[in-house]
Amino acid sequence: MKAVALTGVASTFKWVDGLEVLAQTSKATAINRGFDLVAVMGGEPEVMFRKAIAELGGMGKFVKPGYKVTIKPNIGWDRVPELAANTNPALVSEIIKQCLHAGAKEVNVFDHTCDDWRKCYKNSGIEEAVEAAGGKMLPGHDESYYREISLPKAVNLKTTKVHQAILDADVWINVPILKNHGGAKMSISMKNLMGIVWDRRFFHNHDLQQCIADCTTLDKRPVLNVVDAYRLMKSNGPQGKTADDVVTTKGLFLSTDIVAADTAATKFFNQVSAISLDTVGYIGKGEALGLGTTHLEKLNVKRIKV
Amino acid sequence: MKKLRIVVSLALISCITFYFLDFAEIVPQQFHLLEKIQFVPALLALNVVVLISLMVVTLLFGRIYCSSFCPMGVFQDLADWLAKRFNRKKKYPHFHEQKILRWSVVFVLLLAFLSGFQVLITLLDPYSAYGRICSAIFKPVYLGINNLLALLGNHYHNYRFYIMDIFINGMASLVIAILTFLVIGYMSFTYGRLYCNTICPVGTVLGFLARFSLFKITIGGTGCNSCGLCEMRCKASCIDAKTKEIDYSRCVSCFNCIEVCNRGALKYQFHPFEKKPVIPLQKLEPDVSKRKFLLASVLVGMGFFKKAFAIKDTTVKIKEIFTSHNVAFKKEHPITPPGSRDVRRFNNACTACHLCVEKCPSQVLQPSFLEYGLVGMLQPMMSYKHGFCNYHCTVCTDICPTKALLPINQTEKKALQIGLVHFIKENCVVVTDGTNCGACSEHCPTQAVSMQPYKGDLRIPTINNDLCIGCGGCEYICPVRPFRAIFVNGNPVHKKARVAEEKHEPKVKVDDFGF
């Protein structure tokens, strides 16, 4: 009887939007007893991810049997994987496999791309990788796929339209690639959320840095941020000009704390091309909004070299 | 014969129409060959093989092209078929050939072409007119059906169909397509192939050749009792049952008459020579005064076109009007698509069939109104309202049936400057709001627009002209309104852009986490 009652409560949690936050936060607290941040270097994307997720207690910590999972990589550009404008397809593939292994009912993948979405999905290699791994690519090119949500904690971005794949998922995983960015300075986890919203021009028009931080305050936050730094784009980001902009650094960062993930990734990037954390406005603004911490020294960090 | 004609016609029109509608690239790009065998496009592209083939086919078998290959011809047969559904006893009266009207149209079009007044050819070429009907009328319907299926499928978590934005490709284009649809539709609904035999320039030219075709429909013989059934059922109105004569310049070889004749008096057979009435000898002497008159009228006509519709000088200086911090601008030149080389050449070669408009995956090609002046009305131009030109894409240049857009490869495309970027600093968010933006630079595939240090931590878009290819990514995404802070102005003659080379710099080695 007790078990039945609990299941009932759990399913209620899943359907009530406000309470869903509680469900997600409690999940995050449970994980925080272990490592807050896992950093891996030196392996292939799928190998590094397997090691990192094991340190966090396995995918089962985030994905429960029967869950509808959405994975949001960066697929913004009509570029091949070698040019590091989009998330590594091998990493996306491994995450999907782990989700399905953990019992996910379905795994959906999408991005609101900048270039023509069909070309981006195809030429990034992600569509092929997702379908081979058992996931599903969803379109994100039309406004009808987005629903308006309000962001009460936000400063400038009070409402925005977010893709239904995020809103309707039980959990979603944020999988950005580490890049230099002409406008926002860096493109990492928080910046990757610009791909879940419909109207990006509003961001650019109303203090880009503040809007990126504002967008991250949404109720339905990613349960996990996986920063792909296998190849990073050191210059001319976010699209890149030639292969000169790419450095193969073989890194990977996992954290439930989106601010910490971006802080760690920025410090890692700083070794390739100088960037001060203060100039990446949205990271500090995110911390001010209580989205996470930039003080990595206070966190329980696991460093692995493969 | 009739059945074969119907099967071939329906197959061809379906393929051509579906190729226009197919946004999801279901059919291979090679289907553009069906557009390349159309008469006027082949003529403009100087596609000798196609032209000679079409002429040979006509000289052998009559106006097979008009009957089956031309989509506008088959479209008229469909309207005619619909009319017969309403009126089973639909009759077409016989009337005489409107020779003067037919040849006047050809003559005027020739003049128009020689004097660079392309718009008349654009309006009257049957293939292009049909293309515009597909683009402006059929496409939105097709997208609507697609969207219904997408909504249904997406509800059940099936994303095979996806929603497509439906928008009108310019009012002028829509109005002209509807008018064409109604006028030609009505003509064929009531009179059969009237358009083909009075106005269509292709019909007139091929009709002239068809007079000499080796295989023809013949009438008469012992079986014929002049019942007039063939005459009544001839959609080209070219049979005179009383005199038992067929006007081969108007016969489109549809074979309806053969099927309708109960007595087998009509036959399609080898019949190279037409009996002609004996012409009085003096008539064979060339009429010098007539020729002089013709030549004079050609010259006067050309002058008239040039004067009356002089190619509008599109140069308008960029106007700068200050309205509440937002600087207005006007584009000096419209941007012609890749492969067009220069605006004059393009205006003289394009018949505005809108195949490129439909096949452009980025929806960046839009029909113009008066941007090129009246001469180039409806011809496509680059518009960065719904999208921007994809860096790697060459579809429009591959498929253009008139060669108004010459084929270019990806390497050439990446070094092709169709326009040049202009930055209006006063409008830029970085200046007006003092915040980061960089959306333009983000979308720039060549970094002709790059972000350079400005005040404090801010960075501002900076232009590097020689890298710009004019793709319009910057203009498309710029968030500033009503006038944007960055836009692309067309190059009347396309130029070469510098391609950034890979320097193979020594890569930084990273051994630690950095925190």
Side-chain angles (χ1 to χ4, degrees):
Chain A
M1 272 308 279
K2 219 176 184 180
V4 176
L6 275 177
T7 326
V9 173
S11 60
T12 326
F13 270 41
K14 266 169 69 180
W15 292 108
V16 180
D17 259 11
L19 291 175
E20 206 168 302
V21 196
L22 287 176
Q24 297 230 346
T25 324
S26 65
K27 255 171 237 149
T29 331
I31 294 141
N32 279 353
R33 281 182 222 120
F35 292 113
D36 302 305
L37 179 85
V38 180
V40 198
M41 272 190 80
E44 289 306 296
E46 63 278 13
V47 177
M48 291 194 290
F49 183 75
R50 272 180 226 135
K51 291 204 183 286
I53 194 76
E55 294 296 339
L56 285 179
M59 192 55 102
K61 284 255 176 177
F62 308 96
V63 175
K64 303 292 174 204
Y67 267 18
K68 213 169 148 179
V69 183
T70 294
I71 291 169
K72 162 65 179 76
N74 186 337
I75 330 175
W77 306 100
D78 177 15
R79 296 273 160 145
V80 292
E82 291 71 29
L83 290 174
N86 305 310
T87 304
N88 194 304
L91 175 64
V92 178
S93 167
E94 181 60 25
I95 298 173
I96 294 171
K97 284 178 193 159
Q98 300 251 357
C99 290
L100 291 172
H101 188 71
K105 186 173 74 185
E106 57 185 68
V107 183
N108 299 314
V109 182
F110 83 97
D111 192 8
H112 180 189
T113 65
C114 297
D115 280 329
D116 177 20
W117 68 285
R118 289 170 293 190
K119 290 184 192 293
C120 291
Y121 280 17
K122 187 164 177 265
N123 297 335
S124 66
I126 290 183
E127 187 172 52
E128 199 188 335
V130 167
E131 278 160 11
K136 199 171 216 174
M137 290 301 290
L138 305 190
H141 66 287
D142 194 83
E143 195 172 356
S144 62
Y145 296 117
Y146 296 77
R147 291 206 305 268
E148 187 151 299
I149 60 158
S150 65
L151 299 162
K153 298 184 204 94
V155 179
N156 287 346
L157 188 73
K158 290 290 184 190
T159 61
T160 194
K161 280 189 164 184
V162 171
H163 197 287
Q164 60 196 23
I166 295 290
L167 301 175
D168 298 339
D170 291 307
V171 289
W172 73 280
I173 300 171
N174 190 20
V175 195
I177 179 166
L178 180 54
K179 290 192 286 183
N180 156 269
H181 196 285
K185 308 282 164 64
M186 293 294 299
S187 176
I188 331 172
S189 313
M190 291 168 77
K191 177 76 180 64
N192 199 33
L193 264 66
M194 278 182 85
I196 70 169
V197 301
W198 172 248
D199 185 9
R200 286 191 281 249
R201 284 198 185 90
F202 184 93
F203 282 57
H204 284 279
N205 226 351
H206 294 83
D207 188 351
L208 180 64
Q209 302 286 358
Q210 186 60 55
C211 286
I212 293 171
D214 284 353
C215 184
T216 318
T217 65
L218 88 166
D219 291 342
K220 194 66 164 279
R221 283 175 219 168
V223 283
L224 182 64
N225 301 285
V226 183
V227 182
D228 169 25
Y230 183 79
R231 295 187 189 96
L232 64 77
M233 185 180 282
K234 69 173 173 59
S235 46
N236 293 313
Q239 198 178 165
K241 205 150 82 172
T242 64
D244 282 335
D245 298 316
V246 182
V247 185
T248 307
T249 47
K250 298 196 177 181
L252 186 74
F253 305 92
L254 263 66
S255 181
T256 51
D257 179 333
I258 199 165
V259 179
D262 283 5
T263 307
T266 305
K267 288 186 169 176
F268 182 73
F269 185 95
N270 184 44
Q271 300 177 106
V272 179
S273 174
I275 179 89
S276 146
L277 202 57
D278 314 327
T279 61
V280 191
Y282 63 82
I283 298 182
K285 286 177 163 48
E287 188 175 34
L289 285 167
L291 297 168
T293 178
T294 56
H295 297 283
L296 300 182
E297 67 283 357
K298 289 180 188 163
L299 297 178
N300 194 2
V301 180
K302 172 76 183 177
R303 294 176 177 83
I304 309 167
K305 287 200 178 175
V306 180
Chain B
M1 290 294 272
K2 185 186 168 188
K3 287 202 178 81
L4 179 71
R5 191 252 313 163
I6 292 176
V7 169
V8 172
S9 307
L10 287 179
L12 285 174
I13 198 174
S14 313
C15 289
I16 291 173
T17 310
F18 189 69
Y19 187 56
F20 265 92
L21 303 182
D22 174 32
F23 62 88
E25 290 171 35
I26 298 167
V27 295
Q29 222 56 282
Q30 277 74 19
F31 267 56
H32 71 252
L33 291 174
L34 291 175
E35 275 76 14
K36 288 200 171 153
I37 58 165
Q38 299 298 328
F39 190 83
V40 172
L43 190 66
L44 287 169
L46 290 176
N47 194 336
V48 182
V49 179
V50 170
L51 282 179
I52 289 180
S53 310
L54 286 178
M55 285 180 187
V56 168
V57 166
T58 312
L59 283 172
L60 284 174
F61 306 110
R63 288 169 65 181
I64 300 286
Y65 172 83
C66 302
S67 197
S68 297
F69 289 20
C70 172
M72 188 56 100
V74 184
F75 164 74
Q76 292 177 78
D77 287 351
L78 289 172
D80 183 43
W81 175 80
L82 198 69
K84 281 190 198 126
R85 301 273 102 191
F86 288 111
N87 177 12
R88 291 206 165 270
K89 288 178 183 161
K90 188 183 172 189
K91 288 176 195 169
Y92 309 93
H94 170 76
F95 55 84
H96 288 290
E97 187 194 357
Q98 303 294 313
K99 212 167 190 170
I100 294 173
L101 176 61
R102 287 180 90 179
W103 286 99
S104 301
V105 172
V106 173
F107 183 68
V108 168
L109 285 189
L110 202 65
L111 277 183
F113 177 71
L114 290 174
S115 51
F117 191 65
Q118 188 75 0
V119 68
L120 289 182
I121 300 167
T122 296
L123 291 175
L124 294 181
D125 167 38
Y127 155 71
S128 302
Y130 183 74
R132 288 192 298 272
I133 291 175
C134 282
S135 169
I137 302 173
F138 299 160
K139 183 72 176 278
V141 175
Y142 180 72
L143 288 180
I145 295 169
N146 168 77
N147 287 0
L148 281 177
L149 287 172
L151 279 176
L152 196 72
N154 296 2
H155 183 73
Y156 293 103
H157 203 52
N158 181 319
Y159 292 90
R160 199 183 159 73
F161 292 95
Y162 42 81
I163 306 252
M164 288 294 290
D165 207 7
I166 304 175
F167 53 83
I168 294 165
N169 292 331
M171 276 319 272
S173 164
L174 180 68
V175 168
I176 288 174
I178 291 176
L179 283 178
T180 314
F181 182 84
L182 290 179
V183 169
I184 298 184
Y186 173 75
M187 282 167 100
S188 51
F189 193 87
T190 323
Y191 302 107
R193 292 286 195 116
L194 183 63
Y195 178 80
C196 305
N197 286 333
T198 45
I199 297 178
C200 179
V202 182
T204 306
V205 171
L206 292 182
F208 174 73
L209 292 178
R211 279 178 205 273
F212 308 105
S213 68
L214 297 184
F215 286 87
K216 291 190 187 87
I217 292 170
T218 57
I219 183 169
T222 46
C224 180
N225 62 352
S226 300
C227 70
L229 207 55
C230 53
E231 181 183 311
M232 281 192 291
R233 292 299 172 90
C234 175
K235 65 190 180 197
S237 304
C238 70
I239 304 176
D240 189 343
K242 279 191 201 113
T243 57
K244 297 185 186 174
E245 272 177 1
I246 298 177
D247 175 5
Y248 294 113
S249 79
R250 284 184 291 159
C251 172
V252 292
S253 306
C254 72
F255 312 123
N256 287 358
C257 51
I258 297 180
E259 210 189 72
V260 85
C261 182
N262 300 322
R263 300 175 140 258
L266 288 122
K267 287 192 184 77
Y268 184 62
Q269 60 187 13
F270 186 71
H271 183 75
F273 302 108
E274 201 184 333
K275 271 185 219 157
K276 275 185 183 169
V278 184
I279 303 161
L281 207 64
Q282 77 258 26
K283 269 279 174 187
L284 289 174
E285 294 286 318
D287 189 339
V288 181
S289 67
K290 213 172 181 179
R291 290 198 174 174
K292 270 189 180 163
F293 171 75
L294 271 173
L295 187 69
S297 54
V298 167
L299 295 173
V300 170
M302 280 175 72
F304 167 76
F305 274 129
K306 278 210 169 126
K307 244 186 197 167
F309 305 104
I311 294 168
K312 216 166 77 184
D313 185 11
T314 45
T315 315
V316 184
K317 282 279 161 248
I318 300 172
K319 278 186 202 162
E320 296 199 349
I321 314 153
F322 290 83
T323 49
S324 65
H325 308 298
N326 192 248
V327 182
F329 61 82
K330 196 173 175 185
K331 291 193 177 191
E332 257 183 293
H333 300 286
I335 309 160
T336 56
S340 57
R341 292 206 182 152
D342 73 75
V343 67
R344 286 290 171 92
R345 193 198 149 273
F346 175 67
N347 287 159
N348 285 335
C350 174
T351 56
C353 71
H354 293 176
L355 185 65
C356 57
V357 172
E358 291 314 322
K359 295 318 264 184
C360 174
S362 313
Q363 295 163 324
V364 61
L365 284 164
Q366 297 289 315
S368 64
F369 178 41
L370 294 173
E371 284 83 351
Y372 294 121
L374 189 62
V375 286
M377 192 168 73
L378 300 181
Q379 290 177 349
M381 57 171 189
M382 306 291 275
S383 155
Y384 302 134
K385 203 171 144 197
H386 299 286
F388 55 97
C389 187
N390 182 283
Y391 190 43
H392 311 281
C393 179
T394 57
V395 167
C396 55
T397 74
D398 299 334
I399 58 163
C400 178
T402 66
K403 289 222 171 117
L405 307 181
L406 293 161
I408 52 171
N409 62 33
Q410 273 200 17
T411 319
E412 290 167 320
K413 166 81 186 296
K414 287 175 183 172
L416 183 68
Q417 188 187 70
I418 59 172
L420 202 53
V421 60
H422 288 262
F423 179 52
I424 306 174
K425 200 173 171 181
E426 296 87 335
N427 285 359
C428 183
V429 167
V430 180
V431 174
T432 56
D433 296 15
T435 57
N436 289 123
C437 177
C440 50
S441 164
E442 199 176 316
H443 281 67
C444 180
T446 65
Q447 288 302 294
V449 183
S450 65
M451 301 304 285
Q452 299 299 335
Y454 185 57
K455 290 172 187 163
D457 282 341
L458 290 175
R459 285 169 196 207
I460 194 157
T462 312
I463 307 285
N464 191 340
N465 275 339
D466 58 345
L467 285 174
C468 181
I469 54 168
C471 70
C474 51
E475 182 182 324
Y476 164 76
I477 201 68
C478 178
V480 183
R481 296 291 183 279
F483 288 96
R484 300 171 193 217
I486 199 159
F487 70 96
V488 177
N489 198 14
N491 279 347
V493 177
H494 288 181
K495 291 176 187 159
K496 267 204 151 180
R498 184 168 67 82
V499 178
E501 278 165 34
E502 211 177 310
K503 289 181 196 122
H504 299 288
E505 296 160 354
K507 299 277 180 180
V508 193
K509 196 108 173 74
V510 181
D511 295 318
D512 214 349
F513 292 104
F515 56 87

